[in-house]
Amino acid sequence: MTITLYVSCDSTARSLGADAVANAIRSEALLRNIEIRLIRNSSRGLFWLEPLVEVATEAGRVGYGPVTVEDVPALFDAGFQQGGEHRLALGLVEELPYLKRQERLTFARMGITDPLSLDDYLQHEGYAGLEKALALSGRQIVETVTESGLRGRGGAAFPTGIKWNTVLESESDQKYVVCNADEGDSGTFSDRMVMEGDPFMLIEGMTIAGLAVGATEGYIYVRSEYPQAFATLEEAIRIASRYGYLGSNILGSDKAFNLQVRKAAGSYVCGEETAMLESLEGKRGMVRAKPPLPAVHGLFGQPTVINNVISLAAVPLILARGAAYYRDFGMGRSRGTLPLQLTGNIRYGGLVEKAFGVTLRELIDDFGGGTESGRPVRAVQVGGPLGAYLSAGQLDVEVDYEALAAIGGVLGHGGIVVFDDTVDMAEQARFAMEFCALESCGKCTPCRIGSPRGVEVIDKIIAGQQVESQITLLRDLCATMQDGSLCAMGGMTPYPVLSALDHFPEDFAAAPVRKAG
Ligand SMILES: Cc1cc2nc3c(=O)[nH]c(=O)nc-3n(C[C@H](O)[C@H](O)[C@H](O)COP(=O)(O)O)c2cc1C
Ligand code: SF4
């Protein structure tokens, strides 16, 4: 009997040795004359267990991890191919509490399917949403997405249905759908996981967006540091086109949608939607003033839907199961689920998809197992490099756009970066200003000039020079950046700076006190 084994092809799993483990399993099976079928599946996102090897048994998939090349002969000796006992045995993977306590809607296929197998995708509810969409008018699709309560997962949390409606109502012979896959936020990787692990889901979501608004061309702007995501998407687009899921007559209909992948320019600000459009048009990634909105005057001056990978990836399920199914998850105005990414100083880093309403404490303690160092959590940055630092006392806040805003935070793209009590928050504040200085597109003065001045002021504070007056100056500078910047790059850099000042004032005290602390 052929034994079916799974080793992830996700780039995190590969960076942890998954390719070598897969090769070792193949060689060992050959040596022992055991017939195996080794599938390179997507990753479950339980990264501390990678390389995770799963074995198909009658009871379900049994997991072993993290596996090294050296472990492989002993795993065969233990009969792991039948789910045998071994010190790395994890039992049924689906029963692991980390997975079982999640609400995986967007990430339902993650770790289960072979990313480039269209059959696998179809067998796991793939393209059910597109089939439904093809029977609806554009307006009905937009209404469904609006009713689902989906809000943009790229950072600004703008209602997706309302954005689509603006594009639908904009008259033009040519409209576009652009997927923002620049994923520059610190501590985030959910877009990458989708592109590498479930590319047809993104393609399906973009195709539905095209049908909804009347766009026939789409672009995916992929972060330049994601070569595997780029290659996987290109191959998936070739396959989808070959089988009629893209092209001039989608599934035999009179609807057309074509898709292309573009390599991003390697700059954080190119993730800002108007800078991304400039970059896609072959220009330098400078932010455009709004209005006009990209929904009216976007790529090449035409009405354009711009959405994050996760927003678009949520769409097939919304169409397949209905708006109410999705909307029933979540709290308040935050409907559905969010793939949260646990990183930084955390024991069990990985992907946790939960309905809105879970608390940060549950995520960091129950899922993440606290810090990797074993020391107390001191600060948590949520929402990327422009997100506020939260203190350990604020972790009971619910993951909800409004709840986080109420305490001065942002949810952004769902990246959660944990720091223990050795962190120096003055250094972190300096880092925020330095990051802005490096990444600023330079178009407006508060950001271009303000951020390097911010670095200088924080340097003086760190050196213990006129600390009080420099802190006043820093707050003043932050207010100018917040009020006067053209985009959120300069407008939000004060979030990490001011939150560090507000929650961790002891780190900005005069030098002797800092040393004593
Ligand atoms: C400096 C900066 C960087 C950004 N980077 C990204 C990014 O990498 N990915 C993304 O989806 N949105 C990013 N955004 C937000 C986008 O401008 C835009 O709001 C988003 O792509 C819209 O999609 P959504 O409605 O699906 O969230 C960034 C915004 C700013 C100001
Ligand atoms: S805030 Fe910064 S990144 Fe944004 S437009 Fe102004 S200079 Fe450019």
Side-chain angles (χ1 to χ4, degrees), residues 152-156 158 163 180 182-184 268-269 271-273 306-308 311 386 487-489:
R153 304 296 192 231
F158 189 80
K163 187 184 282 184
N180 190 341
D182 202 27
E183 195 164 56
Y268 181 73
V269 83
E272 194 283 333
E273 57 185 10
I306 301 174
N307 276 127
N308 172 253
S311 319
L386 313 178
C487 86
M489 179 82 220

Coordinates of all heavy atoms in Angstrom, one line a residue, residues 152-156 158 163 180 182-184 268-269 271-273 306-308 311 386 487-489, ligand 1:
G152 N -11.4 46.1 4.7 CA -10.0 45.9 4.1 C -9.0 45.4 5.2 O -8.9 46.0 6.2
R153 N -8.3 44.4 4.8 CA -7.4 43.8 5.8 C -5.9 44.3 5.6 O -5.0 43.9 6.3 CB -7.3 42.3 5.6 CG -8.7 41.6 5.7 CD -9.3 41.7 7.1 NE -10.4 40.8 7.3 CZ -11.6 41.2 7.8 NH1 -11.8 42.5 8.1 NH2 -12.5 40.3 8.0
G154 N -5.8 45.3 4.7 CA -4.4 45.9 4.4 C -4.0 46.9 5.5 O -2.8 47.2 5.6
G155 N -5.0 47.4 6.2 CA -4.6 48.4 7.3 C -5.7 49.4 7.6 O -6.0 49.6 8.8
A156 N -6.3 50.0 6.6 CA -7.2 51.1 6.8 C -8.6 50.6 7.2 O -9.4 51.4 7.6 CB -7.3 52.0 5.6
F158 N -11.2 49.8 5.5 CA -12.3 50.5 4.8 C -13.3 49.4 4.3 O -12.8 48.3 3.8 CB -11.8 51.3 3.6 CG -12.9 52.2 3.0 CD1 -13.2 53.4 3.5 CD2 -13.5 51.7 1.8 CE1 -14.2 54.1 3.0 CE2 -14.5 52.5 1.2 CZ -14.9 53.7 1.8
K163 N -16.2 50.3 -1.4 CA -15.1 50.6 -2.4 C -15.5 50.0 -3.7 O -15.4 50.7 -4.7 CB -13.8 50.0 -1.9 CG -12.6 50.3 -2.7 CD -11.3 49.6 -2.2 CE -10.7 50.2 -1.0 NZ -9.4 49.6 -0.6
N180 N -2.9 44.4 -3.6 CA -1.7 44.9 -2.9 C -1.1 43.7 -2.1 O -1.6 43.3 -1.0 CB -2.2 46.0 -2.0 CG -1.0 46.8 -1.4 OD1 0.1 46.2 -1.4 ND2 -1.3 48.0 -0.9
D182 N 2.2 43.8 -1.2 CA 3.6 44.3 -0.9 C 4.0 43.9 0.5 O 5.2 44.0 0.8 CB 3.6 45.8 -1.1 CG 5.0 46.4 -1.3 OD1 5.8 45.6 -1.8 OD2 5.3 47.5 -1.0
E183 N 3.0 43.6 1.3 CA 3.2 43.1 2.7 C 4.5 43.5 3.3 O 5.4 42.7 3.6 CB 3.1 41.5 2.7 CG 2.9 41.1 4.2 CD 2.4 39.6 4.3 OE1 3.0 38.7 3.7 OE2 1.4 39.4 4.9
G184 N 4.6 44.8 3.6 CA 5.8 45.3 4.2 C 5.8 45.4 5.8 O 6.8 45.7 6.4
Y268 N 9.0 50.2 1.3 CA 7.8 50.1 2.2 C 6.6 51.0 1.7 O 5.5 50.6 1.7 CB 8.1 50.5 3.7 CG 7.0 50.4 4.6 CD1 6.5 49.1 5.0 CD2 6.4 51.5 5.1 CE1 5.4 49.0 5.9 CE2 5.3 51.4 6.0 CZ 4.8 50.1 6.4 OH 3.7 50.0 7.2
V269 N 7.0 52.2 1.3 CA 5.9 53.2 0.9 C 5.2 52.8 -0.4 O 4.1 53.2 -0.6 CB 6.5 54.6 0.9 CG1 7.1 54.9 -0.5 CG2 5.4 55.6 1.2
G271 N 3.8 50.2 -0.7 CA 2.5 49.5 -0.3 C 1.4 50.4 -0.1 O 0.2 50.0 0.0
E272 N 1.7 51.7 0.0 CA 0.6 52.8 0.1 C 0.0 52.7 -1.3 O 0.7 52.8 -2.3 CB 1.2 54.1 0.4 CG 0.2 55.2 0.8 CD -0.6 55.8 -0.3 OE1 0.0 55.8 -1.5 OE2 -1.7 56.2 -0.1
E273 N -1.3 52.7 -1.3 CA -2.0 52.3 -2.6 C -1.7 53.3 -3.8 O -1.6 52.8 -4.9 CB -3.5 52.2 -2.4 CG -4.2 53.5 -1.8 CD -5.7 53.2 -1.5 OE1 -6.1 52.1 -1.6 OE2 -6.4 54.2 -1.3
I306 N -8.6 48.5 -5.4 CA -7.3 48.1 -4.8 C -7.7 47.4 -3.5 O -8.3 48.0 -2.6 CB -6.4 49.3 -4.5 CG1 -6.1 50.0 -5.7 CG2 -5.1 48.8 -3.8 CD1 -5.3 51.3 -5.5
N307 N -7.2 46.1 -3.3 CA -7.4 45.4 -2.1 C -6.2 44.6 -1.7 O -5.4 44.2 -2.5 CB -8.6 44.5 -2.2 CG -10.0 45.1 -2.0 OD1 -10.9 45.0 -2.8 ND2 -10.1 45.8 -0.8
N308 N -6.1 44.4 -0.4 CA -5.1 43.6 0.2 C -5.4 42.1 -0.2 O -6.5 41.7 -0.5 CB -5.1 43.8 1.7 CG -4.2 42.8 2.4 OD1 -4.7 41.9 3.0 ND2 -2.9 43.0 2.2
S311 N -8.1 40.5 2.1 CA -9.5 41.0 1.7 C -10.0 40.2 0.5 O -11.1 39.7 0.6 CB -9.5 42.5 1.4 OG -8.6 43.2 2.2
L386 N 4.1 51.2 11.9 CA 3.4 52.5 12.2 C 2.4 52.2 13.3 O 1.6 53.1 13.7 CB 2.7 53.0 11.0 CG 3.5 53.1 9.7 CD1 2.7 53.6 8.6 CD2 4.8 53.9 9.9
C487 N 0.3 61.3 3.8 CA -0.2 59.9 3.9 C 0.1 59.4 5.3 O 0.7 60.0 6.1 CB 0.3 59.0 2.8 SG 2.0 58.3 3.1
A488 N -0.3 58.1 5.5 CA -0.2 57.5 6.8 C 1.3 57.2 7.2 O 1.5 56.9 8.4 CB -1.0 56.2 6.9
M489 N 2.2 57.2 6.2 CA 3.6 57.0 6.6 C 4.0 58.0 7.6 O 4.5 57.7 8.7 CB 4.4 57.0 5.3 CG 5.9 56.8 5.5 SD 6.3 55.1 5.6 CE 7.5 55.1 6.9
Ligands
LIG1 C1 3.1 53.4 4.1 C2 2.0 52.5 3.8 C3 2.3 51.2 3.5 C4 1.2 50.3 3.2 N1 1.6 49.0 2.9 C5 0.6 48.1 2.6 C6 0.9 46.8 2.2 O1 2.0 46.3 2.2 N2 -0.2 46.0 1.8 C7 -1.5 46.4 1.9 O2 -2.4 45.7 1.5 N3 -1.8 47.7 2.2 C8 -0.8 48.5 2.6 N4 -1.1 49.8 2.9 C9 -2.6 50.2 2.8 C10 -3.0 50.6 1.4 O3 -2.7 52.0 1.2 C11 -4.5 50.4 1.1 O4 -5.2 50.9 2.2 C12 -4.8 48.9 1.0 O5 -4.0 48.2 0.1 C13 -6.3 48.8 0.6 O6 -6.7 47.4 0.6 P1 -7.8 46.9 1.6 O7 -8.9 47.8 1.6 O8 -8.1 45.5 1.1 O9 -7.1 46.9 2.9 C14 -0.1 50.7 3.2 C15 -0.4 52.0 3.6 C16 0.7 52.9 3.9 C17 0.3 54.3 4.3

